[in-house]
Amino acid sequence: MSEASYIELTVVEADAVRGETSAGHRLDPVGLAGGTFVLPVAVLADPAHALRHGVLAALPTRAVGAEEWVGE
């Protein structure tokens, strides 16, 4: 994956937002090598995930380098 902007989540935050957000749509945070989780910032513009926008908008964002992805 290329370096882009992601929402950074702790294990607890990832567990809290993981799952269905609307019919047929779900969030599945991806784990990084350092033990944190991320979601693309684009989920904040997706109305399918509006249920979690408030929580996600309050979290930090950052670029994720290629070396941080597990299994790549």
Side-chain angles (χ1 to χ4, degrees):
M1 292 186 169
S2 64
E3 194 169 304
S5 190
Y6 290 86
I7 301 166
E8 186 174 36
L9 304 94
T10 65
V11 172
V12 172
E13 292 163 341
D15 288 343
V17 301
R18 182 176 286 112
E20 189 172 65
T21 54
S22 62
H25 300 277
R26 60 181 290 113
L27 292 173
D28 287 310
V30 176
L32 298 178
T36 60
F37 289 79
V38 292
L39 286 168
V41 169
V43 301
L44 294 174
D46 188 338
H49 302 303
L51 180 66
R52 301 284 188 243
H53 285 174
V55 172
L56 295 173
L59 297 175
T61 62
R62 69 178 182 89
V64 176
E67 70 281 356
E68 295 183 78
W69 297 104
V70 176
E72 290 205 13

